[in-house]
Amino acid sequence: MLRRMTKLLSGARQLDPGRFLHRGSPAPQSLDAHLDDQRPRAVSCTSEDDPARHGEQHAALHYHIPLQDLKTVFPQGLPPRFIMQVKTFNEACLMVRKPALELLHYLKNTNFAHPAVRYVLYGEKGTGKTLSLCHVVHFCAKQDWLILHIPDAHLWVKNCRGLLQSSYNKQRFDQPVEASMWLKNFKTANERFLSQIKVQEKYVWNKRESTEKGSPLGAVVEQGLTRVRNATDAVGIVLKELKNQSCLGAFRLLVAVDGVNALWGRTSLKREDKSLIAPEELALVCSLRKMVRNDWHGGAIVLTLSQTGSLFKPRRAYLPQELLGKEGFDALDPFIPILVSNYNPKEFESCIQYYLENKWLQHEKGPPT
Amino acid sequence: MAAPCVSCYAALSYRLFLGGRVSLSPNQGVWKAAAAELQTGTGSQILRLRHTTGVSTKKNVAALRRETYTVDFIKKQIEEFNIGKRHLANMMGEDPETFTQEDIDKAIAYLFPSGLFEKQARPIMKHPEQIFPKQRAIQWGEDGRPFHFLFYTGKQAYYSLMHEAYGKLLEVEKRQNKLQAKGLFSEKTKTKDLIDSRWLIKEELEEMLVEKLSDQDYAQFIRLLERLLTLHCGSEEEFVQRFRRSVTVQSKKQLIEPVQYDEQGMAFSTSKGKRKSAKAEAIVYGHGSGRIKVNGIDYLLYFPVTQDREQLMFPFHFLDRLGKHDTTCTVSGGGRSSQAGAIRLAVARALCSFVTEEEVEWMRQAGLLTADPRVKERKKPGQEGARRKFTWKKR
């Protein structure tokens, strides 16, 4: 009986090397048989590494990001599983997909005199919104834009230790830890802009320290990093200055926020008397909300909705209306929604091909590699 | 269950017994350690009444071994049973002539409804042969000489059976040798198909012979019968058949749903499945691309855990039809894992209608078509859970 069972399981048909779908269960022995096949294999990688030149012909293909770029452009923001994959394969390969291509097309044709357009990437869980955002961020970095990348807004509304009462506005709360971490990553990503941009006002931190008008933005960032108590205010100042100065045209600004539905949801932070804090009472959230308003021009705003880190939202919610709530939807309206869906068959095959080329898919009964 | 516990029944009803074997003395008071002629195969034996002392005096250890019923007593029981059967038939308004044992069982269950869980504790009314245990007659005559020539072997019934079987074997061999010598021997292999019958088990053989057997004895007997079978004898068939019981072929019991057709002409099949407290109903379409929808939601979203999705895909994977059928299911109750198990059973049953009988048998052997009988075990008093005891404290 056991022989018959295994016979049913392994099937009698040959595996077609080029196409893995629609073939039922592949026989384990022929997983690596494609290596010896003469028929043209499905290609998974493209040699076009500049996102600016990605077009329809590169859809479903992987492109390389040099590891050096990875450190400067993405100190934060890549999903943890992707970082593990990069570390394993020793190369960063991102798939070019339709939603990202659409966004790139819009960005290439932005009119910087008009107010910043908001693009919202939405879709079901695990379909690739964060990686599409990373693709766009890479493109903008290559095009020398100033990147304002908040990797996950949910981290700012939950599990925060050390909430301080804000010195700037008595009703609000500061988050020194999150703010300083973000400032550090911002500095790594945008080194060259920090010395170019000059602040336009004088900021007094406390009795002894202040930043003069005309000093580089780097000074504000340094202040925030050294004096952690003022980190949140430093973040607020940075955002305000960038917003005001992007209209002048010295640089293009990209605001990329992942999990933007956190800004209008609920928090899980409590005051000392155990009462819940609303997101409006967090200084970071306030400054970020002001940032994603489209009352400035000279750049673009790309946002992602995410249910994964969200608080008090059902697992299957993915539409903007469900995740943002009425308040958030009204605040973001009007925006351009871009749906990110699961892999289609071509993308699926490209992904499997990539894994096979990197010898990632193994079977214990297959030939040793 | 010895002599002292003979309880006085005020009004014994001879027609109705509690289930299982009766092991109490029927008459009040005096023992009647007489033999009952119940052994099959042997000729009629002379009864011998053996009077033992009464209950109140010293216990006769030998008589404690087994209570014996007289032949008269058994005959009386049978008569009373038949009369009772006719009375019962009259009571139920049925024809007394055609009142079968099944009808009796149904009538008793109707007249005496019992909520007891133990089936053997419920009231039954069966033929006295099935209620009173079979007993051996006294094996020796008045002068003390045993009747059977193999009495002193200790296991006379077993050895006489072996003797008989071996005798038949020798006979068959002699016949075949004679035929071969004459040249008329032909290799006729017309033995009956033995696939749907099995040998008697040791307990059944013991019951038949009314004698205790050892495992080696039983094995020896079966070997002898198998040897008899290999000689392709047509005459000894019935002798051998006495020791075989039929076995229903499991797979023929499998109910296969008929394939239905909807308005577009697409073939589909529906069936149900359940596991723990989850109930599922699945509709499998004949042609499709492998999409599975559960309660209107794609299975990738309904079951975020890979293990549940693997359970859903397993029937298709087993039959190598992964991308060929579309499925729509509804499920309710239970938890995540039991819902997956319920849908898997429903899908496997529905797939039976699209698949050959051989593959249905393979699925049954793989366990895809069996409903998982495990349910949550009940919590017992004095323990914290079903098995977990309270923390043991030394003092």
Side-chain angles (χ1 to χ4, degrees):
Chain A
M1 184 199 59
L2 201 58
R3 248 180 288 127
R4 263 185 268 154
M5 270 175 73
T6 45
K7 179 189 116 182
L8 267 180
L9 281 174
S10 54
R13 276 169 295 174
Q14 282 302 317
L15 183 71
D16 193 352
R19 308 191 57 81
F20 302 104
L21 275 188
H22 311 296
R23 271 290 170 180
S25 57
Q29 297 82 5
S30 41
L31 256 183
D32 275 23
H34 71 283
L35 286 172
D36 310 321
D37 204 72
Q38 283 95 21
R39 268 181 283 178
R41 297 186 252 129
V43 181
S44 73
C45 292
T46 175
S47 48
E48 183 58 74
D49 278 348
D50 187 8
R53 289 199 288 264
H54 284 157
E56 286 293 328
Q57 68 275 26
H58 297 113
L61 298 177
H62 293 84
Y63 82 97
H64 288 268
I65 305 180
L67 291 171
Q68 211 42 50
D69 269 4
L70 214 64
K71 278 207 216 51
T72 39
V73 178
F74 296 115
Q76 53 180 1
L78 289 176
R81 293 190 76 94
F82 186 70
I83 298 179
M84 279 197 284
Q85 184 183 302
V86 166
K87 199 156 146 221
T88 313
F89 292 163
N90 230 1
E91 59 173 7
C93 267
L94 208 51
M95 198 196 278
V96 176
R97 295 180 72 199
K98 274 239 196 31
L101 284 175
E102 203 184 318
L103 248 186
L104 292 181
H105 175 74
Y106 292 148
L107 285 177
K108 281 179 211 163
N109 302 343
T110 35
N111 185 343
F112 294 106
H114 289 173
V117 186
R118 290 182 281 222
Y119 307 95
V120 174
L121 288 163
Y122 73 101
E124 278 163 2
K125 216 165 164 176
T127 44
K129 305 181 279 289
T130 309
L131 278 181
S132 301
L133 188 72
C134 292
H135 189 177
V136 169
V137 165
H138 187 221
F139 162 74
C140 293
K142 277 278 190 319
Q143 300 279 309
D144 241 1
W145 291 36
L146 206 162
I147 313 283
L148 208 70
H149 183 38
I150 286 102
D152 194 355
H154 292 295
L155 295 174
W156 290 1
V157 297
K158 56 181 184 175
N159 300 340
C160 298
R161 324 208 67 211
L163 276 180
L164 301 170
Q165 203 190 27
S166 170
S167 47
Y168 180 67
N169 188 337
K170 283 284 176 287
Q171 275 103 20
R172 295 205 190 147
F173 288 93
D174 267 1
Q175 286 149 302
V177 180
E178 283 81 23
S180 55
M181 201 156 65
W182 184 81
L183 275 177
K184 195 161 71 148
N185 290 326
F186 175 71
K187 186 169 146 187
T188 332
N190 301 301
E191 279 293 355
R192 50 185 194 283
F193 287 105
L194 291 179
S195 38
Q196 287 172 16
I197 305 174
K198 310 282 184 233
V199 293
Q200 284 167 346
E201 273 181 38
K202 176 174 159 147
Y203 297 104
V204 178
W205 301 105
N206 50 30
K207 267 189 282 204
R208 266 166 266 175
E209 287 164 16
S210 66
T211 315
E212 298 303 318
K213 174 174 162 172
S215 54
L217 201 59
V220 176
V221 177
E222 284 305 325
Q223 179 69 30
L225 283 173
T226 40
R227 292 260 178 274
V228 183
R229 286 183 61 131
N230 302 333
T232 319
D233 295 330
V235 171
I237 291 170
V238 163
L239 292 181
K240 194 167 85 165
E241 286 296 321
L242 288 177
K243 195 158 134 173
N244 293 339
Q245 296 194 12
S246 71
C247 311
L248 306 174
F251 56 87
R252 283 27 93 82
L253 181 61
L254 174 77
V255 179
V257 185
D258 203 333
V260 75
N261 46 321
L263 300 181
W264 287 280
R266 285 156 64 181
T267 63
S268 70
L269 305 172
K270 292 200 178 99
R271 272 169 245 173
E272 284 84 25
D273 53 356
K274 312 269 199 238
S275 56
L276 276 178
I277 305 180
E280 291 79 34
E281 297 174 25
L282 291 169
L284 278 180
V285 171
C286 277
S287 23
L288 204 51
R289 277 195 197 176
K290 284 186 219 153
M291 202 65 205
V292 299
R293 277 216 309 250
N294 55 352
D295 48 2
W296 52 280
H297 59 266
I301 310 177
V302 182
L303 310 167
T304 315
L305 296 177
S306 162
Q307 193 280 331
T308 317
S310 68
L311 294 160
F312 310 106
K313 287 277 184 259
R315 181 168 54 88
R316 293 204 200 111
Y318 71 98
L319 296 168
Q321 182 68 35
E322 295 166 353
L323 281 177
L324 288 170
K326 185 167 180 317
E327 206 191 312
F329 199 89
D330 291 336
L332 282 186
D333 207 15
F335 61 86
I336 300 185
I338 302 177
L339 173 67
V340 182
S341 51
N342 242 328
Y343 278 170
N344 57 30
K346 189 159 162 239
E347 287 168 344
F348 174 74
E349 294 203 7
S350 165
C351 183
I352 296 277
Q353 188 65 36
Y354 174 65
Y355 284 139
L356 282 173
E357 276 169 14
N358 283 59
K359 299 191 185 11
W360 185 238
L361 297 174
Q362 303 275 340
H363 195 277
E364 55 202 17
K365 300 223 182 72
T369 27
Chain B
M1 294 310 294
C5 68
V6 172
S7 42
C8 306
Y9 291 150
L12 242 195
S13 88
Y14 287 101
R15 298 182 200 108
L16 200 59
F17 296 95
L18 284 175
R21 295 280 181 182
V22 171
S23 40
L24 284 182
S25 166
N27 290 336
Q28 303 159 6
V30 175
W31 271 97
K32 272 208 184 162
E37 164 74 73
L38 285 170
Q39 198 178 9
T40 53
T42 48
S44 61
Q45 305 285 327
I46 305 166
L47 282 178
R48 212 194 82 155
L49 280 178
R50 252 209 322 202
H51 298 280
T52 54
T53 46
V55 168
S56 48
T57 52
K58 63 177 188 325
K59 301 181 202 170
N60 191 346
V61 179
L64 273 178
R65 250 182 293 120
R66 216 196 275 218
E67 300 86 354
T68 44
Y69 303 106
T70 45
V71 171
D72 294 333
F73 170 73
I74 296 290
K75 271 213 203 98
K76 206 159 72 141
Q77 293 297 316
I78 297 180
E79 276 169 27
E80 285 181 357
F81 172 75
N82 287 325
I83 296 174
K85 202 166 90 162
R86 298 183 75 91
H87 276 305
L88 191 61
N90 269 331
M91 263 195 271
M92 302 298 290
E94 307 268 344
D95 179 18
E97 304 297 329
T98 56
F99 205 56
T100 58
Q101 184 59 45
E102 287 165 6
D103 298 327
I104 297 180
D105 291 333
K106 277 194 232 160
I108 294 296
Y110 170 71
L111 290 171
F112 300 95
S114 160
L116 297 173
F117 288 117
E118 177 64 54
K119 298 274 173 38
Q120 288 179 325
R122 295 182 185 177
I124 61 161
M125 178 169 167
K126 289 217 188 304
H127 192 90
E129 296 251 293
Q130 292 164 20
I131 298 190
F132 294 101
K134 285 213 258 184
Q135 288 168 349
R136 265 189 295 176
I138 291 287
Q139 321 273 340
W140 50 87
E142 271 196 27
D143 52 353
R145 277 190 79 217
F147 297 127
H148 203 280
F149 73 104
L150 286 175
F151 174 79
Y152 286 110
T153 58
K155 301 184 258 193
Q156 65 175 53
Y158 168 72
Y159 282 112
S160 75
L161 189 61
M162 290 288 281
H163 183 76
E164 199 187 329
Y166 193 62
K168 291 201 194 289
L169 184 75
L170 289 179
E171 223 180 289
V172 167
E173 275 184 354
K174 208 161 67 171
R175 230 185 302 139
Q176 284 189 346
N177 284 337
K178 266 201 269 186
L179 286 178
Q180 246 177 346
K182 283 197 208 155
L184 295 172
F185 182 69
S186 48
E187 283 287 336
K188 314 180 282 214
T189 46
K190 43 173 192 103
T191 38
K192 216 163 77 130
D193 188 21
L194 297 168
I195 195 73
D196 56 354
S197 57
R198 59 166 175 86
W199 289 118
L200 279 184
I201 51 174
K202 183 164 157 259
E203 279 74 23
E204 286 175 349
L205 190 60
E206 279 184 354
E207 208 184 348
M208 203 158 123
L209 300 176
V210 199
E211 202 171 65
K212 282 264 181 290
L213 295 176
S214 79
D215 288 331
Q216 291 88 345
D217 295 336
Y218 170 72
Q220 189 76 9
F221 179 61
I222 297 294
R223 271 206 292 270
L224 188 58
L225 284 180
E226 300 247 322
R227 205 172 135 200
L228 195 54
L229 272 182
T230 52
L231 288 184
H232 308 303
C233 47
S235 47
E236 319 302 344
E237 280 294 336
E238 17 163 327
F239 175 72
V240 173
Q241 282 304 114
R242 261 179 33 204
F243 301 102
R244 284 197 79 93
R245 297 279 176 269
S246 72
V247 156
T248 43
V249 183
Q250 275 295 100
S251 61
K252 296 209 177 80
K253 282 203 231 156
Q254 190 60 40
L255 185 66
I256 300 186
E257 286 288 328
V259 181
Q260 303 165 55
Y261 293 91
D262 66 0
E263 301 90 39
Q264 277 87 27
M266 169 79 103
F268 71 95
S269 155
T270 323
S271 64
K272 301 202 183 143
K274 63 178 183 185
R275 166 97 214 268
K276 269 194 193 175
S277 60
K279 294 199 196 345
E281 187 180 328
I283 308 172
V284 175
Y285 292 93
H287 302 279
S289 58
R291 266 186 285 268
I292 305 184
K293 276 208 167 255
V294 184
N295 285 355
I297 303 173
D298 192 43
Y299 76 126
L300 182 62
L301 297 175
Y302 192 84
F303 290 119
V305 179
T306 310
Q307 174 197 332
D308 300 334
R309 277 175 278 148
E310 277 177 15
Q311 289 287 297
L312 288 207
M313 292 199 281
F314 181 47
F316 299 109
H317 182 226
F318 185 76
L319 297 168
D320 227 2
R321 287 166 180 245
L322 260 179
K324 305 236 181 89
H325 295 277
D326 268 343
T327 316
T328 312
C329 341
T330 46
V331 66
S332 63
R336 148 211 121 194
S337 172
S338 36
Q339 281 190 342
I343 301 180
R344 177 183 116 167
L345 182 62
V347 158
R349 283 188 181 151
L351 269 182
C352 283
S353 23
F354 292 106
V355 134
T356 60
E357 281 219 15
E358 208 183 37
E359 293 190 303
V360 170
E361 177 63 18
W362 287 342
M363 279 218 284
R364 182 191 73 82
Q365 285 180 359
L368 274 169
L369 301 174
T370 323
D372 201 331
R374 298 179 285 180
V375 283
K376 195 160 168 179
E377 198 175 311
R378 163 207 159 170
K379 175 199 175 311
K380 285 108 194 169
Q383 293 176 359
E384 198 170 316
R387 298 286 173 102
R388 158 125 176 105
K389 321 281 185 280
F390 288 119
T391 313
W392 180 76
K393 296 225 172 61
K394 195 158 178 178
R395 51 185 67 84

